[in-house]
Amino acid sequence: MTRPSSEAEYLARMVPPSVRGVDRRTLLRGALGVGALIGAGGLAACSSNSTGSTGVPTGAVTGTVTVGSNQSDAVPKAAVQSYMDAFAKANPGTTVKINTVDHNSFQENINNYLQGSPDDVFTWFAGYRMQFFAEKGLVGDISDVWKNITGMSDALKKASTAADGKQYFVPITNYPWAVFYRKSVFQEKGYEVPKTLDDLNALGAQMKKDGLAPIAFGDKDGWPAMGTFDQINLRVNGYDFHVSLMAGKESWTDPKVKKVFDTWAGILPLHQADSLGRTWQEAAQSLQQKKSGMYVLGSFLAQQFSKGAEQDDLDFFTFPEIDSTIGTDAIEAPIDGYMMSAKPKNEGGAKKLLQYISQPEAQLLALKADPSVIATNQTADTSGYTALQKKSLEYVKSAKSIAQFMDRDTRPDFASTVMIPAIQSFIKNPKDIDGLLTSIEAQKKSIFGS
Amino acid sequence: MASKRKYRGIDQLSTRDKVVVSLMVIVPTLIVLWLVWLPAIGSVLLSFTNWDGIGPLSGIKSVGLQNYRDIATIYPPFWPAIQHNLIWLAVMFLVATPLGMLFAVLVDRGVAGTRFYQTSIYLPVVLSLALIGFIWQLIYSRDQGLINAITGGTTDWYGDPNVNLWAALVAASWRHAGYIMLLYLAGLKGVDPSLREAARIDGASESQTFFKVVFPVMRPINIIVLVVTFIESLRAFDLVWVINKGRNGLELISTLVTQNVVGEASRIGFGSALATIMLLISSVLVFIYLRIAMKEE
Amino acid sequence: MSLAADPVQERSEALLKPHEGGPQSGRRWLLPVMLALISLIWLFPLLLALVNSFRDYAFTAKNGYVSWGGFTLDNYTNAWQQADFGLHFTNSAIITIPAVILTLFLSCCVAFVVARFSYRFNLALLGFFLAANLLPPQALLIPVYRMFRAIEVPLWISDSGTLLNSFVGLILVNMAFQIGFCAFVLSNYMKALPKELYESAVIDGASVTRQFFQITLPLCRPALAALAVLQTTWIYNEFFWATVLLQQGDKFPVTSSLNNLRGQFFTDNNLVAAGSMIVAIPTLVIFFVLQRHFVAGLTLGATKG
């Protein structure tokens, strides 16, 4: 029986007992020791396992490879098209058929999509969201592709690995979450980048005096505030506890979690008021219009700024240190990439395509669509990067541990049906933290215990 | 005027007519049975499980009433959702529907430009959700919205849970009135003009004519409007969904069902239990309607 | 009661004209002014969006929406170029037209039987159809999805070999969810028709089919027009089932064009508004085409005397 690494181990425990518990499957697991087989839909899992041994074709591949893409708006769509075309060109006899579905529909239907007639290769995210489909046997093992992949860090490989120790994901781009600000504002007012929570509070007080909202904040859609929670938790309790909490292994009534909310409640007055009716775009506009001083968000924030001088004025720093024993070496940088469905029609082509996607050529083409993200392959040429991209790259490289994002690191049902309402109710009423945590814990037990 | 002759029994139909009548009922019945009732029964059964929608049906495990217990005890949005649905129902009944009926009556009077008036009032019904979301964002946004810009206020129309339900109800009424106007207008056009003429000759005023003559003969159409209002209020979903996915003061049962069932969350069992509760509530009201209707037949 | 159309028509036309102000002709201006006011209030939010669909996003982002300037036609040209409207309009037509026609026809059938032959059984039948409409469709998602995936159909019906991924499946679902509502509305309109109309037909020996097509359907014209407009709007704008049951982006109806204008995080709302205006055109056309049935009304008194 293969011994899972420690990260893989706790992720394996995320699998609901209802799935683990059935006798036949337990038996299978015992016999084969393969986590992927635990998943329901035993047939799919079996076939994905057996096909895993065919390997990546070293020679030419032919036929059509189908790709499910959620990149539906014009620029990213064209970018996907461009690297798929480049792949087809490099492999004569191969065509790539792209099935583009808008981002929102793609995400809402992913479960049904994967159980219907999915494309050979499809866009997805690293983290629990990737592991989950691997456990369920809905995606194909691509460990052999990874044997040929060069230029990817161990951290990225770890992020592409499921509980069974096999790889199911190929990263293409990622982007950091941090505290963004406008250089011109900081220069003009003589602000210093805060290093600690005290610095942040002092800076916030100064900004208030100067008539700025210190921290832009918009949580109408529910997810942006998850990022703030993640940042504070990573600083207060560190990466290991964060991951463990997301995995449902820690109690939400633990004083450690309470401290996160207490800390947040302490800096909540620095945040823009009435955040629950504001979209992130409106909040970003207040930063752009120099009405706010800082904004805790992902680097996609840059899309709200005009290209050129305005985007160059944008800079970021890591969320300040809260506990010196924990430090600031854990960051959040969600990874986007591709996976292979469990039973691809053209497995050789699919694997070859995935390998191509891991390489700098494809990744740099992808960046053309969105200059706020960075290539995951370390050998990618960064000479064309903007200042912000260069800084992002450095930031991600220097981090000791990288979290994905709350809705990528924990069960999606827990994130969307429990945490979004819970965080929103905290923002509304930061006083009743105990009651809130008790409620989260009760729901967590019900969801993770099911 | 009513006929004493008995001619309206299936018994008196020819064999061919009987076949035709049967077909007219059976085909639609089968479609609805197959695609609505069968899945509905499936949904009720699933509400006793914790299935996540993945894998074969044989892997489904029963959890008894746990979902229902969780909903009533540890699921914070449930009771607010029930309350919001009831408020929604009340506002539609007391404001939006009467408004739509009034518009229909006014438009029906046939003043010049009636087509323009009809179109203006109906337009909100036609628009896609994406546009409706944008329209009301323009009006309600705290920082950039029209209302706050004009009044100079800082009311957080969408974010303040004490306010946003009412803001959403204004938007919902805006759409609902146009919808009701259309249905009611079609009914008004069916009213025999000679009735009005007779009332006018008798010296009845306009409003007397409407309330004493037109309104009573419109009874079947009035029932339609009531039932439609009821269905729409209970199923109210899209407007709230496009605002903030039914959270933070805008919880409705249908949005809770969707949050749990659709997407990666896939709490099929839990979501089905919510849907079953909704079905139960509606069934009670449908039953009441049928009782009233039967008494009158 | 007379079946002849002309006298009634004349009478109703004669009625409409002096009716406006009523006896108190001094208040004749009141009605148009009220209606104009209501229309303006109702149109205002829409006009706001229309104006902003002609504005540059960078401008409104910088100056807020309550500002003036930044006018451009680019949003419309960009929306048209980026959203692949041609393909998605075709898909929408393939789905909407058959679904609306079949829904209305089948609903008429049910409603006719229910209204014409009043048995208790029929009331139960109506309850059966109506209650179906009370369920949130999302609750039925998984069972319907599973059934469609399992049902195999010939390839000429669906290129996927199952009802999943096929237009036929989507049309069926749309019908199933709308028949109940339409049958209910139509049966109530039909109940408002005078029974005497059928009496003479029965005496003449007209078959059920003839009664249905020659008496009932023509008299239901305003109701049918209203329902056709509503159904077209709803089925055309329906997106939930389409994404679940079609799964392939190039089969999606036109609403997906709008979603294709949105980014993963960032959305140019002005662009989406422009796209929405384009998408709304077909439903507006249907409304205008059928509108005369509300304006003209029936040529026949259709109320129990």
Side-chain angles (χ1 to χ4, degrees):
Chain A
M1 189 156 180
T2 44
R3 186 112 194 119
S5 67
S6 67
E7 184 183 308
E9 197 174 48
Y10 67 72
L11 285 163
R13 288 188 197 156
M14 285 172 153
V15 181
S18 64
V19 178
R20 279 185 287 167
V22 182
D23 281 350
R24 187 176 59 88
R25 296 194 188 111
T26 316
L27 209 129
L28 267 175
R29 185 176 51 159
L32 299 167
V34 178
L37 283 176
I38 304 169
L43 268 177
C46 280
S47 67
S48 78
N49 191 44
S50 62
T51 51
S53 58
T54 53
V56 188
T58 43
V61 289
T62 52
T64 301
V65 184
T66 55
V67 177
S69 167
N70 63 0
Q71 304 287 310
S72 61
D73 45 332
V75 182
K77 191 179 171 185
V80 171
Q81 188 73 50
S82 71
Y83 57 81
M84 293 302 172
D85 284 349
F87 171 75
K89 212 172 166 190
N91 294 275
T94 315
T95 48
V96 180
K97 191 168 169 270
I98 306 172
N99 168 23
T100 306
V101 172
D102 68 88
H103 197 270
N104 193 38
S105 306
F106 190 86
Q107 221 149 305
E108 292 198 334
N109 288 311
I110 185 73
N111 289 351
N112 292 325
Y113 166 76
L114 290 178
Q115 294 186 80
S117 41
D119 301 294
D120 297 343
V121 171
F122 62 94
T123 47
W124 201 239
F125 319 102
Y128 179 87
R129 280 166 130 175
M130 175 273 294
Q131 314 244 4
F132 180 73
F133 292 131
E135 303 283 359
K136 295 285 180 182
L138 293 175
V139 290
D141 171 13
I142 51 166
S143 303
D144 43 4
V145 175
W146 268 90
K147 286 188 188 112
N148 302 327
I149 287 179
T150 51
M152 290 276 187
S153 68
D154 285 345
L156 286 168
K157 184 165 183 180
K158 206 169 99 184
S160 307
T161 307
D164 58 2
K166 294 177 175 176
Q167 287 79 43
Y168 291 89
F169 178 82
V170 170
I172 181 161
T173 57
N174 63 352
Y175 61 91
W177 277 67
V179 188
F180 286 80
Y181 65 97
R182 290 193 74 150
K183 282 186 276 196
S184 57
V185 172
F186 270 50
Q187 260 162 21
E188 188 188 315
K189 303 267 165 75
Y191 298 148
E192 298 260 340
V193 166
K195 298 272 183 247
T196 64
L197 188 64
D198 291 338
D199 291 351
L200 182 71
N201 275 316
L203 177 61
Q206 184 59 43
M207 283 179 169
K208 274 193 167 173
K209 262 189 216 154
D210 295 343
L212 290 178
I215 304 175
F217 198 34
D219 196 37
K220 179 165 168 264
D221 299 314
W223 55 265
M226 287 176 162
T228 309
F229 175 88
D230 289 352
Q231 295 292 335
I232 300 175
N233 194 26
L234 287 173
R235 295 289 171 267
V236 170
N237 296 312
Y239 177 79
D240 291 336
F241 181 83
H242 178 69
V243 169
S244 179
L245 180 70
M246 290 298 116
K249 286 172 65 185
E250 308 287 339
S251 166
W252 281 78
T253 49
D254 190 313
K256 286 176 151 184
V257 183
K258 187 170 186 311
K259 195 174 168 215
V260 175
F261 281 102
D262 281 335
T263 311
W264 194 356
I267 57 168
L268 208 53
L270 298 183
H271 289 67
Q272 239 175 331
D274 295 338
S275 59
L276 296 182
R278 189 181 295 117
T279 62
W280 79 258
Q281 279 178 269
E282 289 174 302
Q285 277 162 23
S286 78
L287 186 72
Q288 181 218 28
Q289 294 162 3
K290 306 187 179 182
K291 290 178 184 161
S292 309
M294 302 170 272
Y295 194 7
V296 180
L297 206 73
S299 66
F300 53 81
L301 162 83
Q303 290 173 297
Q304 187 63 50
F305 285 65
S306 339
K307 278 196 178 124
E310 207 174 84
Q311 280 192 3
D312 288 341
D313 192 36
L314 199 61
D315 200 353
F316 66 86
F317 55 85
T318 193
F319 196 89
E321 180 181 285
I322 293 173
D323 181 337
S324 58
T325 59
I326 300 286
T328 58
D329 58 6
I331 64 157
E332 198 149 71
I335 307 166
D336 294 346
Y338 283 84
M339 296 175 88
M340 185 177 81
S341 57
K343 285 182 282 183
K345 290 192 185 76
N346 183 355
E347 191 179 328
K351 286 184 171 174
K352 190 111 185 178
L353 176 62
L354 287 172
Q355 192 184 334
Y356 173 74
I357 285 169
S358 75
Q359 297 308 303
E361 185 192 347
Q363 301 197 347
L364 289 177
L365 283 169
L367 291 194
K368 283 192 180 151
D370 183 359
S372 63
V373 299
I374 51 175
T376 51
N377 195 305
Q378 287 166 341
T379 60
D381 173 25
T382 59
S383 58
Y385 275 20
T386 63
L388 202 64
Q389 279 174 310
K390 280 183 180 146
K391 182 150 186 183
S392 299
L393 183 68
E394 222 30 63
Y395 181 60
V396 172
K397 243 193 207 166
S398 63
K400 209 179 116 211
S401 10
I402 301 174
Q404 294 297 312
F405 190 73
M406 184 184 284
D407 68 6
R408 300 186 183 199
D409 278 331
T410 188
R411 291 178 58 125
D413 46 0
F414 180 66
S416 64
T417 67
V418 179
M419 284 317 292
I420 289 182
I423 290 178
Q424 289 191 333
S425 95
F426 163 75
I427 295 168
K428 262 183 291 190
N429 174 20
K431 299 229 158 53
D432 184 25
I433 295 172
D434 288 321
L436 183 72
L437 293 180
T438 312
S439 162
I440 296 176
E441 179 63 14
Q443 294 180 76
K444 183 212 88 180
K445 275 189 185 139
S446 173
I447 287 179
F448 280 86
S450 68
Chain B
M1 201 167 162
S3 164
K4 302 281 186 292
R5 283 176 68 108
K6 287 220 163 198
Y7 61 88
R8 44 180 180 152
I10 280 184
D11 297 347
Q12 291 188 357
L13 295 172
S14 69
T15 319
R16 198 173 142 264
D17 280 351
K18 277 183 197 160
V19 172
V20 170
V21 168
S22 311
L23 275 179
M24 285 171 104
V25 176
I26 288 171
V27 173
T29 304
L30 284 181
I31 292 179
V32 173
L33 193 67
W34 172 43
L35 288 175
V36 180
W37 286 107
L38 203 64
I41 293 166
S43 194
V44 171
L45 293 177
L46 284 175
S47 74
F48 300 104
T49 73
N50 62 3
W51 196 40
D52 61 5
I54 297 176
L57 299 177
S58 55
I60 299 176
K61 204 184 73 181
S62 164
V63 292
L65 291 171
Q66 197 206 328
N67 290 329
Y68 293 93
R69 259 201 310 275
D70 284 358
I71 287 170
T73 55
I74 62 166
Y75 190 52
F78 177 68
W79 293 109
I82 296 271
Q83 194 195 343
H84 298 157
N85 265 101
L86 291 176
I87 294 175
W88 200 279
L89 192 66
V91 171
M92 290 299 128
F93 262 116
L94 299 177
V95 181
T97 297
L99 217 55
M101 290 161 82
L102 174 70
F103 292 169
V105 172
L106 293 182
V107 164
D108 184 47
R109 301 282 292 278
V111 289
T114 181
R115 271 176 172 243
F116 170 75
Y117 303 134
Q118 278 179 30
T119 311
S120 317
I121 298 169
Y122 180 70
L123 265 178
V125 184
V126 175
L127 306 177
S128 65
L129 266 185
L131 189 60
I132 288 177
F134 177 59
I135 285 177
W136 292 97
Q137 181 77 24
L138 286 175
I139 292 174
Y140 283 135
S141 163
R142 178 191 178 276
D143 305 343
Q144 303 174 5
L146 195 70
I147 300 180
N148 283 355
I150 289 173
T151 61
T154 53
T155 310
D156 187 8
W157 295 102
Y158 269 170
D160 184 343
N162 299 317
V163 177
N164 58 9
L165 184 68
W166 304 101
L169 279 166
V170 169
S173 303
W174 176 64
R175 223 160 44 132
H176 188 76
Y179 170 31
I180 295 296
M181 181 208 66
L182 188 75
L183 280 178
Y184 213 63
L185 194 58
L188 283 171
K189 290 300 175 191
V191 173
D192 188 344
S194 61
L195 285 175
R196 281 183 183 157
E197 187 187 28
R200 203 168 62 87
I201 290 165
D202 290 349
S205 76
E206 301 256 339
S207 54
Q208 277 174 333
T209 311
F210 178 75
F211 283 109
K212 299 246 167 76
V213 180
V214 180
F215 194 75
V217 299
M218 290 276 286
R219 196 178 164 279
I221 285 81
N222 295 338
I223 289 177
I224 292 177
V225 167
L226 287 183
V227 170
V228 161
T229 304
F230 175 70
I231 294 178
E232 289 293 304
S233 311
L234 211 69
R235 290 206 312 187
F237 169 74
D238 49 9
L239 216 136
V240 158
W241 191 254
V242 81
I243 292 175
N244 69 358
K245 306 223 158 168
R247 297 182 178 117
N248 180 36
L250 292 182
E251 294 88 352
L252 294 173
I253 305 179
S254 57
T255 65
L256 299 186
V257 172
T258 310
Q259 280 165 19
N260 280 286
V261 168
V262 177
E264 287 167 82
S266 253
R267 294 172 85 184
I268 307 296
F270 194 77
S272 299
L274 285 164
T276 305
I277 292 173
M278 202 168 152
L279 183 63
L280 280 176
I281 298 173
S282 356
S283 309
V284 169
L285 291 151
V286 168
F287 182 73
I288 294 171
Y289 163 72
L290 286 179
R291 278 291 296 270
I292 296 168
M294 269 202 192
K295 268 189 192 150
E296 287 178 3
E297 283 295 309
Chain C
M1 169 164 291
S2 165
L3 268 174
D6 284 358
V8 183
Q9 167 109 50
E10 278 165 25
R11 210 169 41 178
S12 71
E13 272 169 8
L15 265 172
L16 284 174
K17 294 283 145 68
H19 216 62
E20 275 174 33
Q24 308 97 323
S25 49
R27 275 161 52 198
R28 189 170 294 184
W29 54 272
L30 193 63
L31 184 62
V33 168
M34 261 173 78
L35 278 171
L37 204 66
I38 293 166
S39 298
L40 281 182
I41 295 172
W42 248 245
L43 277 181
F44 176 73
L46 185 65
L47 290 175
L48 208 59
L50 187 67
V51 167
N52 282 303
S53 72
F54 284 103
R55 301 176 74 191
D56 182 37
Y57 184 80
F59 186 91
T60 51
K62 202 169 198 129
N63 302 295
Y65 281 106
V66 189
S67 61
W68 193 254
F71 288 98
T72 171
L73 285 173
D74 288 355
N75 291 330
Y76 282 85
T77 48
N78 288 345
W80 184 264
Q81 280 162 8
Q82 292 175 17
D84 221 348
F85 278 116
L87 172 75
H88 295 295
F89 270 132
T90 314
N91 291 341
S92 283
I94 294 173
I95 298 161
T96 310
I97 295 169
V100 170
I101 292 174
L102 285 169
T103 301
L104 289 182
F105 178 72
L106 290 177
S107 314
C108 278
C109 291
V110 175
F112 173 75
V113 177
V114 170
R116 167 84 173 77
F117 310 100
S118 345
Y119 290 113
R120 296 208 143 190
F121 163 74
N122 289 331
L123 208 60
L125 196 70
L126 204 56
F128 168 86
F129 278 101
L130 191 62
N133 268 64
L134 289 164
L135 281 171
Q138 291 83 0
L140 310 180
L141 168 75
I142 297 297
V144 170
Y145 172 83
R146 289 272 163 160
M147 272 195 312
F148 274 26
R149 199 182 61 175
I151 295 171
E152 293 187 15
V153 292
L155 285 176
W156 58 266
I157 294 180
S158 152
D159 57 12
S160 62
T162 61
L163 275 181
L164 197 65
N165 269 328
S166 75
F167 287 129
V168 176
L170 185 61
I171 291 169
L172 279 170
V173 166
N174 274 319
M175 282 165 58
F177 279 96
Q178 298 301 341
I179 285 177
F181 167 76
C182 291
F184 170 69
V185 171
L186 283 168
S187 74
N188 274 25
Y189 278 101
M190 286 178 190
K191 274 182 202 154
L193 298 177
K195 291 262 187 317
E196 296 76 21
L197 290 175
Y198 298 113
E199 186 178 65
S200 49
V202 171
I203 292 165
D204 288 349
S207 69
V208 167
T209 332
R210 259 192 66 196
Q211 293 172 34
F212 179 62
F213 283 106
Q214 292 184 351
I215 300 176
T216 312
L217 286 193
L219 287 177
C220 284
R221 229 179 48 209
L224 277 173
L227 283 175
V229 168
L230 284 174
Q231 288 300 324
T232 310
T233 308
W234 287 339
I235 296 178
Y236 176 84
N237 283 328
E238 199 286 324
F239 192 52
F240 170 72
W241 284 108
T243 54
V244 177
L245 298 179
L246 292 179
Q247 300 203 346
Q248 274 160 316
D250 55 7
K251 283 186 180 172
F252 280 8
V254 77
T255 319
S256 76
S257 298
L258 295 181
N259 289 348
N260 288 344
L261 298 175
R262 296 167 185 273
Q264 176 172 357
F265 297 108
F266 171 78
T267 299
D268 177 347
N269 283 317
N270 303 6
L271 179 71
V272 172
S276 304
M277 297 295 169
I278 298 173
V279 165
I281 291 171
T283 35
L284 275 180
V285 169
I286 297 287
F287 176 72
F288 287 131
V289 167
L290 295 177
Q291 194 182 25
R292 64 188 181 87
H293 295 285
F294 318 125
V295 179
L298 275 183
T299 51
L300 210 153
T303 313
K304 284 182 229 185

